Amino acid sequence: MARAEAVDVVQLYRTFITASHILHHHGVLDAFGHISVRHPQKPNVFIMSQFIAPALIASPNDLIEYYVDDASPVDPSAGKGYSERCIHSEVLKRYPNMNSVIHSHSEAILPYAISGVPLRPCYHMAGFLGHKVPIYDIAKWYQEDDRRDMLVSNTRLGAALADHFMSSKGASSSGHLEPEHTVVLMRGHGLTVVGASIQQAVSRAIYTQKNAIVQTTSLSLRNAFAGQTTDEGLSGQGIQFLGEDEATDSRQMNDNTVGRPWGLWVREVESQKLYVNLA
């Protein structure tokens, strides 16, 4: 490996570890959940951590390379990895321009995967959510021999999830370099987020959670206010989400400003003794 390529990979390791710490610091990941990144010199390979909590990932020795094609480890003797790495392999396989995937069980977002209330962009920082966030219901894709534990533990279930990043129901997403959706909710489980870079995926995951909190607060406030006797009634138009044009333009703004919060988030985790990054 050329020196420049080696430095590039080392920097990627450091960014990956920092991203895991940031996601934990912001409550997007706890002991569970994970992030992946496509290898910069080997696009048919992606990187994840071993089977450890994201906050405790500390060095390149904690990382494992997998093949995008089937999520098998490049090194057959690698340690134990995440059983749901097929989420990452299938999304990266389907969308060649996407280079990072995050899977989370965020409790702030989960209600929108089970309640029938759609998650919608409430403010400009979540324009990337688009007009509607799709929901993946794994029950529709089980086969007789599948364990019904909600885990996406094989490539078939992962491929079905990857399909949900496209709008057309049941349509194959093969041939698309980029997905139409950036976030897919997962019934009874959580969500999956994609990005062209680690920084973009992390930003989308964090602001998806923030948006869910804003939306839940708005719904609670509206319902509480509706129960009061007042001379000023509620607006008949309900929660005022972003319009489609507003979401589209805000998404471009989101993508152009990823570096600003990233710098802050890096400093936040670097100042915490819990997080160690030896890359």
Side-chain angles (χ1 to χ4, degrees), residues 68-148:
V68 169
D69 185 58
D70 60 0
S72 63
V74 173
D75 178 2
S77 65
K80 181 180 180 181
Y82 293 111
S83 62
E84 290 194 290
R85 58 184 180 268
C86 293
I87 292 174
H88 303 261
S89 64
E90 291 303 310
V91 172
L92 294 172
K93 182 194 305 183
R94 222 46 92 79
Y95 308 107
N97 283 3
M98 294 294 99
N99 296 304
S100 187
V101 180
I102 295 169
H103 172 59
S104 163
H105 304 156
S106 169
E107 289 92 346
I109 302 169
L110 186 56
Y112 293 95
I114 62 174
S115 64
V117 177
L119 182 64
R120 301 275 301 279
C122 296
Y123 70 142
H124 64 301
M125 297 306 297
F128 58 84
L129 290 175
H131 181 65
K132 182 180 180 181
V133 180
I135 299 176
Y136 167 70
D137 185 350
I138 195 171
K140 297 177 181 179
W141 306 98
Y142 282 138
Q143 292 186 359
E144 186 175 351
D145 58 345
D146 287 327
R147 179 178 299 201
R148 286 155 172 74

Side-chain angles (χ1 to χ4, degrees), residues 25-244:
H25 183 69
H26 285 266
V28 176
L29 305 181
D30 51 15
F32 297 91
H34 24 79
I35 180 173
S36 67
V37 64
R38 195 187 299 271
H39 196 289
Q41 278 86 49
K42 298 178 285 186
N44 65 325
V45 170
F46 68 101
I47 300 165
M48 293 185 72
S49 79
Q50 297 187 53
F51 190 73
I52 55 178
L56 303 182
I57 302 169
S59 81
N61 293 331
D62 296 327
L63 308 182
I64 302 175
E65 293 185 356
Y66 296 99
Y67 288 113
V68 169
D69 185 58
D70 60 0
S72 63
V74 173
D75 178 2
S77 65
K80 181 180 180 181
Y82 293 111
S83 62
E84 290 194 290
R85 58 184 180 268
C86 293
I87 292 174
H88 303 261
S89 64
E90 291 303 310
V91 172
L92 294 172
K93 182 194 305 183
R94 222 46 92 79
Y95 308 107
N97 283 3
M98 294 294 99
N99 296 304
S100 187
V101 180
I102 295 169
H103 172 59
S104 163
H105 304 156
S106 169
E107 289 92 346
I109 302 169
L110 186 56
Y112 293 95
I114 62 174
S115 64
V117 177
L119 182 64
R120 301 275 301 279
C122 296
Y123 70 142
H124 64 301
M125 297 306 297
F128 58 84
L129 290 175
H131 181 65
K132 182 180 180 181
V133 180
I135 299 176
Y136 167 70
D137 185 350
I138 195 171
K140 297 177 181 179
W141 306 98
Y142 282 138
Q143 292 186 359
E144 186 175 351
D145 58 345
D146 287 327
R147 179 178 299 201
R148 286 155 172 74
D149 56 8
M150 310 303 289
L151 300 184
V152 182
S153 54
N154 62 52
T155 56
R156 173 173 42 78
L157 295 173
L161 172 61
D163 272 336
H164 282 65
F165 284 94
M166 301 303 294
S167 291
S168 302
K169 265 191 175 179
S172 172
S173 50
S174 59
H176 293 272
L177 296 179
E178 297 184 10
E180 295 175 11
H181 299 285
T182 60
V183 178
V184 171
L185 305 183
M186 304 165 71
R187 182 189 67 83
H189 193 163
L191 70 153
T192 298
V193 183
V194 297
S197 66
I198 289 176
Q199 292 88 339
Q200 185 182 66
V202 168
S203 179
R204 287 174 173 176
I206 290 174
Y207 281 106
T208 297
Q209 180 167 272
K210 289 179 180 290
N211 186 88
I213 293 169
V214 170
Q215 184 169 338
T216 299
T217 302
S218 299
L219 290 168
S220 299
L221 180 63
R222 184 176 177 84
N223 289 337
F225 185 77
Q228 298 179 7
T229 301
T230 177
D231 293 334
E232 296 184 10
L234 289 168
S235 166
Q237 58 187 324
I239 302 294
Q240 298 184 44
F241 300 106
L242 297 192
E244 290 192 51

